C-alpha cells in the first residue's frame, strides 16, 4: 500500500495542483516563492485538522466568498443552496492510495462501492462550514450592527470601518469556530486523467476522520527557523536538543522500570543494589541531624518515624545540561580526554543529529508497541515530511543526510519481513546538493505561473519530472535526456531546478566572464536567479526535453563554428560569399534549422527565438556571433568572428591593443594587433592564434578579469542582444519585479 498522488485545491497559490508521490522519496524543487512550502504546509495542516487560517485560502477566491456574504445578507438563497457554493472555494486535499487485493482489510471503511476490487482508493479532506445556519445568522447580526454603527458615526461626521466589513473580514476572526475539516470518500472510476479536474463529491459519502488516520501515520520535521522568524516555534527549538530527544525516547521505549523484559533484569538488579548502598550512606550521613530532631520531641509515641530512602531514576540522569557531551578529538598519546556540552557543538551538526534521531524516533513510534500510546494496529503507510533539511549544513553533510534518511526510516527487521508496510519520505529543498543525490525521477518541479484573467494572482502547477527521466519514456526510447541530463547535472550543479532562467554557454571563458557582465551591466538580470551552465554547443540540445518540460526561459550562447561545405567540413576562418556552413548542432537542428553562414550572419533577432513546446509561454533564444563593425585605422571594417574569444577582442580592440605586460597571456593578442600589416592580416592571425591547440581559454579569461575592470569591457553584440532579450522576457512575466 502506498500513496499514489495527492491533489491540493484552493490552498494559497495552489489552486489545483496534482503531486505524484514516489515509492520511497519525493523531492519538492523549484524557484523561491513557487509553492513548495505551501504544499508541505497544506499536507501538515489538513492531516492534522488544525492550523488552517483565512490567509491559507487562495486569494483569487476572496471575491466569490464575499459574494456569498452578500447573498446571505440579502437572503437571496437558502442555506442549503449557499452550502454548495463553498465546494470550490475552500482548501481541500484529495489523497489517492494504491491498494492491493490482500490489503483490503485496511480500507474497508473507504471502499466507494461494492464493485471495487483493488486499485486506487480516494478520500478528500475538505474545509467546510460547520453549523451553517448558525454561522449565517451570526454574520447577519454582526454585519447589520456594524453598518448601523457606521451610519450613526457618519451622522456625527466620523467615517469609520467596523468589523465585519465583508464575509472575508468575518472569516478572519471566526475561522476556527465556524469551519472544520471533513472527510469524504471518492470514486476512482470518476478520475479525469486528461484534465486532472477534482471530481464532485457526494455529501452522503462523508466518513469519520479516523478512517484515514488508521491508514496513514504522518510525522513532520519542520524547517529550522531563526529566532527572528514570526513563525518560530520556541517549544520546537527546545525539543531539538539531543538530550531532550533521548529523554523522550528512553521514557517511551527503553525505561526498564515501565515494561521490563528478561534483558532488563540485570540493570534492575544493579539499580536496586546501588539504591541500597546509597540509602545506607544517606542514613549514616543524616544520623546526627535526625537524632537532633528526635531530641526536640519528634516523632514521639504515635507519629511516623523519619527514614531516608532514595530513588534512582535513570530519566533524571538525562535531564542536566551535561547529560550529552561530545568527546573532543585528541592525539592517542594524550591520556586526558576532554568533553564539551551538547550546546557547544556547531548548529549544523546539532541540526543533523537532531533530524537523524527524530527519524529513528518516528520509525520506532510507528512500528514498536512500547513506543505507542495505545496498542492498536500499525498504520500500513508511514508518511514523513521534512522541510528544508539543508539548514546550517554544509554541502557534504547535506548529501550524506539525504542518502541515509530513507535508510534510517526503514532500518528494521519488522519492515523487512512485512513488506505491506510502506514508508514514503517527502522533502522540500532549495539545495542543489541534495538534488544531486536523488533519482531525478523523484523530483517534483513547482512551476510559478503569472496571473491571468481566470486567476487574478500567480498560481502554481507541479511537474512530474519522472516523465522526463523515466526509463520507460516512450517519447525518448533511447533515453538520451535521462542519460545525458542526469549525468551532466550530477557532475556539475543542479541549480537549474531553482532558477528563474537558464543561460547555456559554450565554454569556460563565457562561464567566467558572463556573471561579470550581468553584475556590472545588466542590473535587472542581476536581481534574478540565473543558472549559467557550461555546455558545448554540440550537446545543449540534449537538455531540450528537460528545458521545455519545466517551462523555463533559456538563452543559448554558442559559437558559430564556421566550416567548409566541402569534404569533412573542416573549420575555416569566417568569410562571406564562400559557401561556408555551421557545424553547430543547436543552430542547425534545434533553433534555426539553417546551415549557410551567409544566411545566419544576417538573420534578425526575432528569427533566433522559438516558443517552447509547452503550456507555459516560455521561450528559447540562441545567440551566436554576428558581424562586428570596427574602426581600423580610420576605416570602417566588418569583423566576422566564430568564437567568444575573438568576439571579445574585436569588441574591445583598443583595450587589447594597449596591453603591455609580458607576463600576461593577453600580451600575445596585443602583439598581433600591433604588428599586423593590415586588417585582413590581423583578422587571419587572430583566428589562427585562437584556433591553436595551445590557446588557453581559461587563462585568457582570467587575465582579462585581472587586468580590466568588467565595467570597461564592451560586451560582444550577440551576447548583448541575448541578455537584453532575456531581461525583456522576464520583465514581461513580472519576474523581475518579483525578484526586486
Amino acid at each position: 500500500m502506498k500513496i499514489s498522488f495527492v491533489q491540493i485545491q484552493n490552498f494559497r497559490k495552489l489552486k489545483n495542483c496534482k503531486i505524484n508521490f514516489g515509492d520511497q522519496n519525493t523531492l519538492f524543487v523549484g524557484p523561491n516563492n513557487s509553492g513548495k512550502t505551501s504544499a508541505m504546509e497544506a499536507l501538515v495542516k489538513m492531516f492534522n485538522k488544525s492550523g488552517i487560517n483565512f490567509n491559507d485560502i487562495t486569494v483569487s477566491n476572496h471575491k466569490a466568498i464575499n459574494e456569498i456574504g452578500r447573498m446571505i445578507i440579502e437572503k437571496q438563497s437558502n442555506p442549503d443552496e449557499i452550502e454548495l457554493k463553498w465546494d470550490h472555494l475552500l482548501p481541500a486535499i484529495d489523497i489517492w492510495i494504491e491498494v492491493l487485493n490482500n490489503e483490503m482489510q485496511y480500507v474497508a471503511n473507504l471502499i466507494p462501492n461494492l464493485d471495487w476490487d483493488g486499485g486506487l482508493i480516494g478520500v478528500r479532506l475538505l474545509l467546510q462550514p460547520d453549523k451553517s445556519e448558525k454561522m449565517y445568522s451570526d454574520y447577519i447580526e454582526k454585519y447589520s450592527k456594524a453598518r448601523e454603527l457606521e451610519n450613526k458615526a457618519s451622522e456625527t461626521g466620523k467615517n469609520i470601518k467596523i468589523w465585519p466589513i465583508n464575509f472575508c473580514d468575518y472569516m478572519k476572526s471566526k475561522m476556527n469556530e465556524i469551519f472544520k475539516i471533513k472527510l469524504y470518500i471518492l470514486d476512482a472510476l470518476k478520475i479525469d486523467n486528461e484534465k486532472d479536474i477534482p471530481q464532485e463529491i457526494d455529501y452522503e459519502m462523508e466518513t469519520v476522520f479516523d478512517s484515514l488516520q488508521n491508514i496513514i501515520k504522518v510525522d513532520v520535521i519542520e524547517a529550522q527557523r531563526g529566532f527572528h522568524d514570526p513563525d518560530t516555534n520556541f517549544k520546537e527549538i527546545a525539543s531539538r536538543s539531543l538530550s531532550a530527544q533521548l529523554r523522550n525516547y528512553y521514557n517511551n521505549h527503553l525505561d526498564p522500570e515501565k515494561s521490563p523484559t528478561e534483558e532488563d533484569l540485570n540493570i534492575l538488579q544493579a539499580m536496586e543494589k546501588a539504591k541500597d548502598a546509597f540509602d545506607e550512606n544517606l542514613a549514616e550521613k543524616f544520623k546526627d541531624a535526625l537524632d537532633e530532631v528526635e531530641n526536640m520531641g519528634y516523632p514521639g509515641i504515635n507519629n511516623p518515624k523519619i527514614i531516608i530512602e532514595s530513588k534512582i531514576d535513570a530519566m533524571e540522569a538525562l535531564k542536566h545540561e551535561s547529560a550529552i557531551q561530545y568527546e573532543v578529538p585528541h592525539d592517542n598519546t594524550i591520556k586526558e580526554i576532554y568533553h564539551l556540552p551538547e550546546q557547544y557543538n556547531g548548529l549544523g551538526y546539532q541540526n543533523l543529529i537532531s533530524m537523524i534521531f527524530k527519524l529513528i524516533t518516528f520509525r520506532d513510534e510507528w512500528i514498536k508497541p512500547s513506543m505507542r500510546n495505545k496498542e492498536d494496529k500499525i498504520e500500513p503507510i508511514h508518511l514523513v515530511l521534512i522541510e528544508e533539511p539543508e539548514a546550517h549544513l554544509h554541502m557534504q553533510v547535506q548529501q550524506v543526510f539525504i542518502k541515509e534518511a530513507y535508510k534510517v526510516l526503514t532500518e528494521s527487521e519488522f519492515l523487512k519481513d512485512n513488506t505491506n508496510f510502506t514508508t514514503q519520505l517527502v522533502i522540500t529543498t532549495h539545495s542543489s546538493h541534495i538534488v544531486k543525490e536523488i533519482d531525478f525521477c523523484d523530483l517534483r518541479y513547482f512551476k510559478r505561473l503569472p496571473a491571468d484573467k481566470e486567476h487574478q494572482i500567480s498560481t502554481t502547477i507541479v511537474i512530474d519530472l519522472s516523465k522526463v527521466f523515466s526509463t520507460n519514456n516512450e517519447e525518448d526510447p533511447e533515453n538520451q535526456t535521462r542519460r545525458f541530463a542526469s549525468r551532466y547535472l550530477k557532475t556539475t550543479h543542479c541549480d537549474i531546478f531553482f532558477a528563474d532562467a537558464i543561460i547555456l554557454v559554450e565554454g569556460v571563458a563565457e562561464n567566467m566572464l558572463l556573471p561579470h557582465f550581468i553584475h556590472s551591466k545588466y542590473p535587472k538580470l542581476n536581481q534574478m536567479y540565473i543558472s549559467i551552465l557550461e555546455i558545448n554547443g554540440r550537446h545543449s540540445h540534449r537538455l531540450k526535453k528537460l528545458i521545455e518540460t519545466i517551462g523555463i526561459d533559456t538563452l543559448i550562447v554558442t559559437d558559430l563554428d564556421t566550416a567548409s561545405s566541402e569534404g569533412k567540413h573542416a573549420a575555416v576562418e569566417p568569410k562571406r560569399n564562400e559557401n561556408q556552413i555551421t557545424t553547430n548542432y543547436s543552430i542547425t537542428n534545434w533553433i534555426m534549422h539553417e546551415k549557410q553562414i551567409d544566411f545566419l550572419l544576417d538573420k534578425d533577432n526575432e528569427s533566433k527565438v522559438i516558443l517552447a513546446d509547452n503550456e507555459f509561454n516560455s521561450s528559447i533564444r540562441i545567440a551566436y556571433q554576428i558581424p562586428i563593425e570596427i574602426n581600423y585605422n580610420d576605416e570602417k571594417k566588418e569583423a566576422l568572428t566564430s568564437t567568444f574569444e575573438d568576439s571579445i577582442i574585436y569588441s574591445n580592440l583598443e583595450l587589447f591593443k594597449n596591453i603591455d605586460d609580458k607576463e600576461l597571456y593577453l600580451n600575445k593578442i596585443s602583439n598581433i594587433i600591433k604588428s599586423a600589416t593590415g586588417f585582413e592580416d590581423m583578422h587571419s592571425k587572430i583566428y589562427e592564434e585562437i584556433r591553436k591547440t595551445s590557446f588557453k581559454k581559461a587563462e585568457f579569461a582570467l587575465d582579462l578579469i585581472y587586468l580590466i575592470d568588467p565595467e570597461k569591457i564592451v560586451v560582444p553584440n550577440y551576447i548583448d542582444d541575448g541578455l537584453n532579450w532575456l531581461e525583456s522576457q522576464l520583465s514581461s512575466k513580472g519576474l523581475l519585479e518579483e525578484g526586486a
Side-chain angles (χ1 to χ4, degrees), residues 564-611:
S564 170
S565 60
E566 307 294 331
K568 296 183 179 180
H569 307 309
V572 294
E573 180 184 347
K575 293 180 180 180
R576 289 187 182 272
N577 305 316
E578 296 283 342
N579 196 29
Q580 295 177 351
I581 63 171
T582 178
T583 57
N584 189 296
Y585 193 92
S586 295
I587 298 175
T588 60
N589 291 70
W590 186 5
I591 310 296
M592 302 297 295
H593 300 284
E594 177 63 68
K595 290 185 177 182
Q596 295 297 318
I597 292 296
D598 290 322
F599 288 106
L600 291 170
L601 289 175
D602 297 325
K603 283 287 187 180
D604 58 34
N605 287 333
E606 286 73 20
S607 63
K608 299 173 184 177
V609 182
I610 62 170
L611 190 65

Side-chain angles (χ1 to χ4, degrees), residues 410-679:
T410 55
E411 187 62 38
S412 164
E413 291 299 323
F414 174 85
L415 295 176
K416 293 176 183 177
D417 297 336
N418 296 271
T419 55
N420 56 322
F421 292 93
T422 302
T423 298
Q424 290 177 278
L425 178 62
V426 178
I427 297 172
T428 67
T429 186
H430 295 96
S431 171
S432 59
H433 308 298
I434 286 179
V435 173
K436 278 186 181 181
E437 304 302 326
I438 290 287
D439 188 326
F440 284 178
C441 288
D442 295 328
L443 298 180
R444 303 296 177 263
Y445 181 79
F446 282 67
K447 177 73 177 178
R448 183 177 57 206
L449 302 179
D452 55 26
K453 291 182 179 180
E454 182 181 358
H455 306 120
Q456 292 79 39
I457 63 164
S458 62
T459 55
T460 293
I461 65 168
V462 180
I463 300 169
D464 184 353
L465 290 185
S466 66
K467 297 177 180 179
V468 177
F469 295 106
S470 172
T471 55
N472 300 317
N473 187 354
E474 296 180 357
E475 297 180 9
D476 189 10
E478 298 182 5
N479 242 319
Q480 295 182 15
T481 300
R482 175 184 173 90
R483 186 169 60 252
F484 179 80
S486 60
R487 291 176 183 176
Y488 173 74
L489 293 175
K490 285 180 180 291
T491 55
T492 53
H493 46 84
C494 297
D495 61 351
I496 182 176
F497 299 114
F498 308 97
D500 297 306
I502 301 170
I503 300 178
L504 304 180
V505 299
E506 182 80 12
V508 62
E510 295 98 313
N511 199 23
M512 286 183 182
L513 288 169
L514 210 62
H516 287 279
F517 295 159
I518 293 173
H519 177 74
S520 61
K521 299 179 182 295
Y522 306 89
K524 289 185 177 179
L525 278 183
N526 197 45
Q527 298 171 8
M528 305 302 296
Y529 190 170
I530 310 294
S531 179
I532 302 176
L533 300 179
E534 180 187 331
I535 187 166
N536 186 280
R538 294 181 179 273
H539 293 284
S540 58
H541 67 283
R542 301 190 187 279
L543 296 177
K544 176 177 183 292
K545 181 65 176 176
L546 174 60
I547 288 171
E548 291 186 348
T549 299
I550 65 178
I552 189 168
D553 292 309
T554 301
L555 173 65
I556 305 169
V557 179
T558 192
D559 287 343
L560 191 55
D561 294 332
T562 54
S564 170
S565 60
E566 307 294 331
K568 296 183 179 180
H569 307 309
V572 294
E573 180 184 347
K575 293 180 180 180
R576 289 187 182 272
N577 305 316
E578 296 283 342
N579 196 29
Q580 295 177 351
I581 63 171
T582 178
T583 57
N584 189 296
Y585 193 92
S586 295
I587 298 175
T588 60
N589 291 70
W590 186 5
I591 310 296
M592 302 297 295
H593 300 284
E594 177 63 68
K595 290 185 177 182
Q596 295 297 318
I597 292 296
D598 290 322
F599 288 106
L600 291 170
L601 289 175
D602 297 325
K603 283 287 187 180
D604 58 34
N605 287 333
E606 286 73 20
S607 63
K608 299 173 184 177
V609 182
I610 62 170
L611 190 65
D613 185 18
N614 57 45
E615 60 188 293
F616 310 124
N617 195 34
S618 63
S619 297
I620 303 168
R621 189 194 190 281
I622 199 163
Y624 55 82
Q625 289 81 22
I626 57 177
I628 301 172
E629 189 176 281
I630 65 171
N631 187 319
Y632 187 84
N633 294 335
D634 296 327
E635 290 186 47
K636 288 186 178 180
K637 296 289 185 178
E638 182 185 67
L640 299 181
T641 61
S642 62
T643 69
F644 172 74
E645 290 77 20
D646 57 359
S647 298
I648 282 283
I649 293 169
Y650 286 113
S651 300
N652 300 272
L653 198 61
E654 288 300 314
L655 282 176
F656 279 84
K657 185 179 179 179
N658 293 325
I659 293 173
D660 187 17
D661 189 335
K662 296 180 180 180
E663 294 184 4
L664 292 179
Y665 192 74
L666 297 181
N667 203 58
K668 292 183 179 181
I669 304 297
S670 181
N671 289 335
I672 291 174
I673 298 171
K674 294 172 185 176
S675 63
T677 58
F679 176 78

Side-chain angles (χ1 to χ4, degrees), residues 379-397:
E379 304 88 345
I381 299 174
H382 186 202
L383 178 62
V384 179
L385 310 172
I386 305 178
E387 186 181 0
E388 300 175 19
E390 63 268 20
H392 309 300
L393 304 183
H394 62 72
M395 176 182 70
Q396 289 85 354
V397 179

Side-chain angles (χ1 to χ4, degrees), residues 172-305:
K172 289 177 184 178
S173 301
K174 294 282 190 174
M175 195 74 176
N176 294 328
E177 296 179 33
I178 60 179
F179 290 88
K180 73 174 185 179
I181 296 173
K182 300 180 181 181
L183 188 71
Y184 294 91
I185 298 173
L186 302 175
D187 190 346
L189 296 176
K190 298 179 181 178
I191 294 177
D192 190 335
N193 290 316
E194 292 185 2
K195 298 181 179 179
D196 283 331
I197 299 175
Q199 61 184 252
E200 300 291 332
I201 60 170
D202 183 347
Y203 285 99
E204 294 183 0
M205 298 296 284
E206 183 181 357
T207 186
V208 294
F209 204 88
D210 286 350
S211 300
L212 182 64
Q213 292 180 320
N214 291 333
I215 297 173
I216 306 174
K217 182 182 188 301
V218 181
D219 285 308
V220 184
I221 297 179
E222 297 178 349
Q224 307 296 299
R225 307 187 188 279
F227 285 97
H228 65 282
D229 195 307
D231 295 326
T232 296
N233 186 333
F234 292 99
K235 289 184 178 179
E236 170 68 15
I237 291 174
S239 68
R240 290 176 200 157
S241 69
L242 181 58
S243 54
Q245 294 187 65
L246 284 174
R247 286 196 297 270
N248 181 64
Y249 190 90
Y250 182 91
N251 188 52
N252 289 316
H253 184 54
L254 299 179
D255 193 344
E257 295 183 81
K258 287 187 175 181
S259 303
T261 64
E262 290 186 12
E263 298 173 352
D264 297 320
L265 294 179
N266 288 335
I267 190 170
L268 290 172
Q269 184 181 16
M271 289 171 65
E272 189 66 30
K273 287 183 178 179
K275 175 183 173 303
D276 290 343
F278 193 40
D279 287 350
E280 290 179 11
N281 185 268
L282 286 175
E284 181 66 28
K285 297 290 186 183
F286 282 97
K287 183 177 182 304
D288 292 342
L290 294 177
D291 286 345
E292 287 188 41
V293 173
E294 289 186 8
N295 292 334
M296 299 294 293
Y298 186 90
I301 299 174
N302 297 319
N303 293 313
K305 184 179 179 181

